[in-house]
Each structure stands twice: as C-alpha cells, then as structure tokens.
C-alpha cells in the first residue's frame, strides 16, 4: 500500500517568549486534523511541539505536495495563529510569510518534509524535530547514519546495506542540488556537508533498491522573507531497519552532542541537546538548541505510537555534554566562535554602526 507521510511545521507563536508552545494551540491543531481524519482525507495524524514550533505529522494517500493536505496544514496553522493572537502569544504567526494559500505551503514559511512510500510488511519510522537551529543541523547525523561505518555497522556487515546510499544535497543559497553516491564520493560530499549554513541534505536513497530512506525540511526562512524571521527549526524523517539503518543506528549520532548554528537570535553556535518531548522548552539563553525524536510503526498508514525515543537515560551523557559545551561557549559572550561570523548572523547592527563611524575610519 502506498502511503505518504507529511510533516509540516511552523512557529505560529511562542509561550513564553520563544521557549515553548501553548497547550491550547496543540488542542486546536488536534481538533482540526481529527476532523480531516473523520472526513477521510487523513489516515492518521499526531500533533506535537518542539519548543515554539507546532508539528503536524500526517499520513494519507494523496502523495507529496498535495494541495488538499497542504491547505489543511495551512488552514490549521492560520487558525492556530488567530488563537495565538487572542492569547497574545509571542510572535503570533511569525513563520507564515504569505497571506493567501497558493497550491502548497512550500516557500510560504512552514517547513515541510514528505515521503511517499510503499509501506513494507513492517515500517518503523523516526521523526526528528529541532528548535533554535537550521536545516544543515541534519548533515552530520545523516552522514553518520548513512555513510559512517563507525556509527552504522550495518554498512559493513548487512548485505542489503553494503551497496551504500545516495545523498541529495541542496545549496540553500544558490537554489541548486547535487547527488553523491556513498561511500565512493564521501570526500567530495563532505566539502559541502561540512558547510551546513549553505548546504543541507534533502533526501537520502538506498542504492540497493532506490527507495527513499530520509527526507528533511530545507527551507531557509531568512532567504524566503529577505530578512530575519527566525531560524528554520527543521524536521527530518528517517525509515529504519531492513535495507535502512536500524533504529539504534539512526539514534546513535545523537549520543554525542554536536555544535549547530542557531540558539539566541539565530546568531550563535551552540550544542544540539537531544531531549524527551517534555524537555523541549529551550530557555537558557533561548536554548541550547533542542532535538526531539518520535518513533512510529506504520500500519496501513496508521501511526502506531509515538515512542519518545530520547526519553532514555542512555542519552543523559549527551545532555550533560551539551550543557558542558553550552557553559564553555557562553563564556565567549559576543565573541566568535560562539557568535556566528558577521555574514552568517541573523541579526546585525553592523551596517548602522559602520555608517555612523564612517568618518572616523581612516586609511592605515
Ligand atoms: C532564535 C529565537 C530567539 C529570538 C530572541 C529575540 O531562533 O527565536 O532567540 O531570536 O528571543 O526575539 P525577538 O527579536 O522576537 O525579540
Ligand atoms: Mg519563535
Ligand atoms: Mg522555533
């Protein structure tokens, strides 16, 4: 059976500040998706939040970029925005950049990750959702899952994974894409993946059967809007087991905290902290950036779950590491490399300061 899994997300208002989501907004979103399920448009859904981002996880048979599904998401986010305005939540509707819906939500502000699959006899899927960071944050973990045998032993000893994976990489500034076959092209690929502010993995495919293995949201809100409107706070869907990495291999990259762009004012480097859903409320210096992870078994499109995959003491060490890194980086205050380089910062006062001090700047 062909099933489409669509994750559409947006920050439509923070509670309090940018730290979390108000429970009433989640209730509203559930009611909206429940109605669509009753009408037969959705097979199933799950609504959650990571920090100030509302996450609509939906299954259906309408395919990717489907107008009815995207309109449902858009209308839900719009209705949520109205409620956010009533509650005077912070930044109500901040990610909804367009006024009117036009076919699908791509380029309108929300993040989208969708995959249409032929559901296997057993179909475990993992959905990662992050707050206070950008789409390139998935580059390192996706590389480890699908190309690094020190993370994924299946690449070495599982015959159906030994052929490797193909990565589709997007240049989010240049609006171009390129594919790399791994393992033979990893050195070429890493020059791009190692620059996550510009290049982001959009899709990963199995070279065994060309099946989709992973998809992420790669929208860059700041490029869409032409000004700072918040970090993308991306999502990523990964299929597991069989020809794909095992669930444990998919989670393993998060056993260490690694450093991503985002955090306070989208203008800092900070550790990505894997947490249970109840702990995804970034508050310290608006962070540190969080990632949550829900696991589902698909059953004829029904979402059996979720399991809160980072709600496991085995990730305590990664959380501790993240706090250590956070303490260390915070000591740098406004200095790089904690603060992003000038051209990467989402907020800057540089042009105004340069203009004011123009006359005082002399030749060396
Ligand atoms: C980062 C983020 C927050 C805000 C910060 C300032 O992605 O959402 O760190 O940038 O709280 O917010 P404003 O400019 O809305 O007052
Ligand atoms: Mg916000
Ligand atoms: Mg956010």
């Amino acid at each position: 059976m062909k099933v489409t899994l669509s994750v559409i997300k947006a920050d439509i208002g923070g509670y309090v500040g940018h730290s979390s989501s108000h429970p009433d907004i989640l209730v509203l979103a559930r009611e909206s998706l429940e109605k669509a399920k009753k009408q037969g448009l959705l097979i199933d859904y799950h609504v959650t939040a990571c920090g100030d981002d509302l996450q609509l996880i939906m299954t259906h048979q309408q395919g990717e970029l489907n107008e009815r599904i995207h309109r449902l998401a858009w209308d839900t986010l719009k209705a949520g925005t109205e409620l956010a305005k009533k509650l005077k939540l912070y930044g109500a509707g901040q990610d909804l950049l367009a006024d009117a819906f036009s076919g699908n939500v791509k380029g309108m502000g929300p993040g989208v990750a969708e995959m249409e699959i032929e559901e296997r006899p057993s179909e475990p899927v993992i959905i990662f959702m992050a707050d206070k960071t950008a789409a390139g944050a998935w580059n390192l973990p996706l590389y480890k899952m699908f190309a690094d045998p020190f993370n994924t032993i299946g690449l070495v000893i599982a015959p159906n994974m030994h052929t490797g994976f193909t990565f589709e990489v997007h240049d989010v500034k240049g609006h171009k894409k390129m594919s790399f076959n791994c393992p033979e092209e990893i050195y070429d690929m890493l020059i791009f993946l190692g620059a996550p502010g510009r290049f982001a993995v959009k899709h990963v495919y199995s070279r065994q059967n060309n099946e989709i293995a992973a998809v992420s949201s790669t929208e860059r809100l700041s490029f869409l809007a032409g000004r700072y409107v918040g970090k993308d706070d991306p999502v990523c869907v990964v299929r597991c087991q069989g020809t794909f990495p095992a669930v444990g291999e998919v989670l393993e990259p998060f056993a260490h905290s690694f450093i991503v762009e985002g955090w306070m004012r989208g203008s800092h480097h900070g550790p990505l902290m894997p947490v249970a859903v109840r702990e995804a409320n970034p508050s310290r210096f608006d962070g540190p950036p969080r990632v949550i992870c829900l696991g589902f078994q698909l059953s004829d499109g029904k979402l059996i779950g979720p399991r809160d995959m980072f709600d496991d003491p085995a990730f305590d060490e990664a959380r501790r590491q993240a706090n250590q890194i956070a303490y260390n980086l915070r000591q740098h205050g406004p200095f790089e490399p904690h603060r992003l380089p000038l051209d990467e910062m989402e907020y800057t006062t540089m042009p105004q300061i340069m203009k004011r001090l123009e006359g005082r700047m002399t030749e060396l």
Side-chain angles (χ1 to χ4, degrees), residues 9-11 18 50-54 94-95 130-133 230-233 282:
K9 50 89 30 194
D11 176 351
H18 290 279
C50 181
D52 55 8
D53 291 272
L54 178 65
Q94 82 163 39
D95 284 356
D131 189 31
K132 305 292 183 273
T133 187
K231 275 276 181 230
D232 306 277
D233 303 336

Side-chain angles (χ1 to χ4, degrees), residues 243-266:
T243 49
F244 307 116
V247 166
E249 290 167 333
V250 169
L251 301 183
E252 184 62 6
F254 299 92
H256 291 277
S257 178
F258 53 92
I259 294 174
V260 297
E261 293 180 6
W263 206 347
M264 175 59 80
R265 297 179 189 272

Side-chain angles (χ1 to χ4, degrees), residues 18 81 94 103 117 165 182 241 246 250 264 276 289 304 330 333 341 353:
H18 290 279
T81 297
Q94 82 163 39
I117 58 171
F165 291 87
C182 297
Q241 308 291 151
V250 169
M264 175 59 80
I304 308 302
R330 282 297 303 126
I353 296 176

Side-chain angles (χ1 to χ4, degrees), residues 164-168 179-182 203-207 210:
F165 291 87
T166 300
F167 286 64
E168 183 189 304
S179 289
F180 297 92
N181 284 329
C182 297
H203 294 112
V204 181
Y205 298 94
S206 162
R207 293 172 72 190
N210 293 320

